Amino acid sequence: MFSKQLMAAWGDMDFNSHMRNTAFLDKAGDVRMLFLSEHGFPMREFMRLNIGPVVMKDEIAYFKEVLLLEEITVTLGLAGLSEDGSRWILRSDIIRPDGKLAARVSSTGGWLDLEARKLIAPPPALMATWQALVKTDDYQDLPSSLKPA
């Protein structure tokens, strides 16, 4: 499972002195982009291809608090993928230093052609990158996001 060690920073805190809900989304997004960058798709490559990932739905389940300056582990797994790769579900678990699950983020998305402003199937190398992720226990095959011609 792909994972990164991150820190719950000052800007991640809410009024109740624990990690705010949007910070969990930010950490999951950071790990997504780090995975892509480390596997041949840094931001510059997306700019060259004129495509980018687009999230259409996020779901967060909360289990335990994360406090200021706690080191967290953020994982990334593949929870769903369409045959053509145009639609995906990625799962990130945010794990506290004591090993307890703090939150789970599930993000449903696809690939956006930045010029045509429509969803597309990814190029083969990008599809292979998503397929390299460890599948979650509840992995599911998804329908395509592409509209028939």
Side-chain angles (χ1 to χ4, degrees), residues 69-88:
L69 301 181
E70 284 189 326
E71 187 174 89
I72 54 174
T73 301
V74 182
T75 66
L76 181 64
L78 186 64
L81 188 64
S82 65
E83 188 175 334
D84 61 9
S86 66
R87 180 181 303 248
W88 38 260

Side-chain angles (χ1 to χ4, degrees), residues 11-75:
D12 296 327
M13 297 298 111
D14 69 9
F15 182 78
N16 297 319
S17 301
H18 60 243
M19 200 156 121
R20 61 184 163 76
N21 62 333
T22 55
F24 287 101
L25 294 174
D26 291 341
K27 300 297 185 189
D30 288 346
V31 169
R32 249 192 321 267
M33 296 312 293
L34 287 166
F35 171 81
L36 288 166
S37 182
E38 289 181 20
H39 289 84
F41 288 92
M43 195 66 223
R44 184 166 282 129
E45 181 63 6
F46 283 113
M47 290 170 62
R48 186 186 75 74
L49 293 169
N50 206 30
I51 64 172
V54 60
V55 173
M56 295 173 279
K57 179 173 81 169
D58 283 311
E59 295 177 304
I60 310 173
Y62 303 99
F63 303 98
K64 299 282 182 189
E65 289 183 312
V66 173
L67 303 176
L68 180 62
L69 301 181
E70 284 189 326
E71 187 174 89
I72 54 174
T73 301
V74 182
T75 66

